[in-house]
Amino acid sequence: MVLKEGNGKVKTLFHNEIIDLIPHRYPFLLVDKITNIVVHKSVTGIKSVTFNEPFFQGHFPQYPIMPGVLILESMAQTAACLVSYSDKSLSTNNLVFFTGIEKAKFRKPVTPGCILNLNVNVLANKKSLYKFSADAYVDGFLMATSEFSAMLVNQEKVLCCLLYTSPSPRDLS
């Protein structure tokens, strides 16, 4: 069941609440609003794509399109918000890292003025490893889909590993 406020309205998280959940900041925060939260199960993220996004300066100035990898990153940030919101203790000392991207398909270009609706579902969760499916829509049209996995990692372990070696997923668990 979608979370609702006391007045019956669907619970929506805005910028200040999102930055309390995930460590991303401008210019790499790629989700503007979170809604339709079903704890531990699904969430919708909203990304308003504007012409002044830094990546449009080089991708491509005459025909600006949002890079596919940034659409995937928007999906992942939406998923991270769900995981963090579902268990608020996870947002304090953990980072989320991609561990795999599968079945990514880009169907139509995302351009300035688009409002991306990022629908993310949890497919599986085992300890600190998660698998998600996600779809990105603009005005009801499917723009991109993907399945991806991610791992929660304690920030202190990441810093320790980065100081001495290139970390492998085994080092971080």
Side-chain angles (χ1 to χ4, degrees), residues 14-105:
F14 294 99
H15 178 79
N16 288 342
E17 295 155 303
I18 292 169
I19 63 172
D20 286 342
L21 295 175
I22 60 176
H24 304 81
R25 299 295 181 263
Y26 179 83
F28 213 70
L29 180 61
L30 297 173
V31 61
D32 299 318
K33 184 167 48 171
I34 295 292
T35 187
N36 297 333
I37 303 163
V38 179
V39 174
H40 300 293
K41 293 188 180 182
S42 64
V43 67
T44 298
I46 309 294
K47 169 63 179 153
S48 297
V49 182
T50 62
F51 189 77
N52 62 350
E53 307 278 357
F55 50 81
F56 284 137
Q57 294 175 21
H59 199 267
F60 302 98
Q62 300 305 313
Y63 183 73
I65 60 172
M66 185 173 184
V69 295
L70 296 183
I71 296 170
L72 290 174
E73 178 64 26
S74 297
M75 294 171 171
Q77 288 182 19
T78 299
C81 286
L82 172 63
V83 169
S84 185
Y85 186 85
S86 295
D87 185 349
K88 291 196 173 74
S89 68
L90 298 176
S91 63
T92 53
N93 284 331
N94 288 299
L95 298 174
V96 181
F97 290 110
F98 270 126
T99 55
I101 299 170
E102 302 167 8
K103 302 179 185 175
K105 296 207 184 289

Side-chain angles (χ1 to χ4, degrees), residues 35-36 41-46 74-75 78-79 116-122 132-137 142 144-146 148:
T35 187
N36 297 333
K41 293 188 180 182
S42 64
V43 67
T44 298
I46 309 294
S74 297
M75 294 171 171
T78 299
L116 269 178
N117 289 282
L118 307 151
N119 300 325
V120 178
N121 295 293
V122 176
F132 302 95
S133 68
D135 300 314
Y137 291 89
L142 183 62
T145 62
S146 182
F148 56 92

Side-chain angles (χ1 to χ4, degrees), residues 76 94-100 128-130 148-155 158-159 162 167 172:
N94 288 299
L95 298 174
V96 181
F97 290 110
F98 270 126
T99 55
S128 64
L129 190 60
Y130 290 81
F148 56 92
S149 52
M151 176 188 277
L152 288 170
V153 181
N154 184 289
Q155 288 182 25
V158 172
L159 292 175
L162 291 176
L172 299 174

